[in-house]
Amino acid sequence: MDKFRMIFQFFQSNQESFMNGICGIMALASTQMYSAFDFNCPCLPHYNLAYGLGILLVPPFILFLLGFVLNNNISMLAEEWRRPQGQRGKDPAVLRYMFCSMAQRAMIAPAVWVSVTLLDGKCITCAFCTLVPVETLGNASHLQLSQGEVQRVLARIPCKEIYNGQQLIANEVAVRYLRCISQALGWCFVLLMTTLAFLVRSLRPCFSQAAFLKCRYWSHYIDIERKLFDETCAEHARSFAKVCIQQFFEGMSTDLVAARCHLPRKAPADAAEAAEKLLGITDWGTMNMALKSWHRCKPPLHLHPPALSTGNGWAGEGQPPTHPSAPRRETAAYYSWV
Amino acid sequence: MDRFRMIFQYFQSNSESVINGICGLLALASVKMYSSFDFSCPCLPQYNMAYGLGVMLVPPVILFLCGLILNRQSLVMLEEWRRPQGRRKKDLAVIRYMCSSIMQRAMVAPVVWIIVTLLDGKCLICAFSGSMDPEKFVGFANVSTVQVQQLLAKVPCKDDELMRNNTSRKAVSRYLRCWSQALGWTILLILIIAAFLARWLRPCFNQATLLQARHWSNYIDIEQKIFEETCCEHSRLFAHKCILHFFESMRQEIKLHSFSLPKEGEGAEGEEDLLRGITDQDQVNKLLKSWYYEKPPLDV
């Protein structure tokens, strides 16, 4: 029991660190995705904003959904939410707790993408290069350019090779300005996210610790119960299949014996077990017939109890000795973390 | 029992080394973050100071908060602080001890960031190049005030066309970097001396109180862990009983509704036990449907 408890505790702590590890991996993956992505600003007035903001906002949304998809517990949450009440009440606080903890973990990779994007600066430079204050940073008044022309020139700021507005505003000045704004936004975003996380984590013990403990217990319970039910069903299916197949072979062998009118030979004691395992099928033809019958005409999903098995009346020897009852299996350690 | 105790002690010492490990990892992460961060001074008069000081001071706040969030003990301490007294007295010395140990560990990464920033020098050059006295540097001495501000603001940008080969720019840059590095080393020295003194002089004051506080803070931490583990174990056993109950009640229901003769106890008992009286497709389907539509009450 002690050993069992130790293993269980190990898995319990390990599952939590496993989930945290998945979060960390997704965050690293999002950084890697960003550095592998070949950012290519279109440098055209109306396309820049769409492209820049698209790269800033669409991948986080994808990563957020991916965070939910990769979380095994989402199906458990959906099941608990949609099940009919039946004899067991539903507690919305538990559902909220499960959803919140999944959402918090799914938010990490998108937040990392947005931070890395803002701190790098390319997206904001691309998106807002047409809004650079040319009056303060450059020489707007010297050149007689129409508004549209100015926009077109400014849109080329991210593309240094084709930039032709050095007299209007120096490329480095504009890029440094935009990057400074982008990095300031990035650090503010990271600070905001960290402060929110800190507040959420530290205010909870101050206000609703008892409710939190309750929700955590019942969400663990639901997860463990589902896993245990699956394992019990699997065990049942295995036994069902075993008995079904045994009865199939017994039926076959009884039929064969009836057809051939052989008297059964009493197998010597030491070969009894081997003979039993053969289930009365001892030659090529019979085996082929058994296999064909298994394919063409599977037995119904209905086990008859052994005492009433359909012998042909011939079976004067009664049942072959049954196996000693299998020792009850130790159920495996279960872990749950939502 | 001995083995259990050994593992228990391992976990106990391990949680402290886990926290120390996290602290070290955060410090390394802060160095890595700084080196991968692309520092780009705006080189504009009003923006330089805000950018330079912002990069020097905002990430330490973030790292401090991260240090608090990642430390499990901070939750334990908060719970102990906010719990109703009940039948167990609260000892403020223990809470203070836990708080100070958490803060000390959380301060490592921010301090590392600030020191790395100062030793590198870019932040201070960016923030204070505009505040230099132009008279001290030949290249900026005879320029009008407005222009000198613009020029000084461009000092951190080596590649700017105005500043490319300007010797005065290099002079200002070296001057500021020298101050920055001096400040960095001084802060490092002060902190290390303070840590050294604190560790050496602590046994001279209140050692007994300290030992008590440390013991009880360990105790609270372990008690919390064991409570969580016991709850998990309990929920597993509860679930097991609940499911067995459910299968049993299914078996009773089937016995009531079917007309099969009751079996005697012999036969393949092992398998029969596992089959729990559910022996055909319809019964299995009924069981699964009933599990979904009418989960059994939480009452074993």
Side-chain angles (χ1 to χ4, degrees), chain A residues 13 22-23 32 56 84 88 116 124 131 138 142 147 167 170 188:
Chain A
S13 65
I22 295 253
C23 271
Q32 193 56 30
L56 182 65
R88 181 190 290 188
V116 167
I124 297 287
L131 299 176
H142 286 188
Q147 197 59 21
Q167 290 84 30
C188 288

Side-chain angles (χ1 to χ4, degrees), chain A residues 180-195:
Chain A
C180 157
I181 303 260
S182 173
Q183 288 180 342
L185 277 176
W187 284 120
C188 288
F189 176 76
V190 176
L191 182 65
L192 185 68
M193 290 281 116
T194 317
T195 311

Side-chain angles (χ1 to χ4, degrees), chain A residues 5 88 183 209 217 236 303, chain B residues 38 51 79 233-234 296:
Chain A
R5 200 171 353 141
R88 181 190 290 188
Q183 288 180 342
Q209 183 67 354
Y217 179 86
H236 182 271
L303 307 177
Chain B
D38 186 13
Y51 186 85
E79 273 173 37
E233 202 182 301
H234 181 270

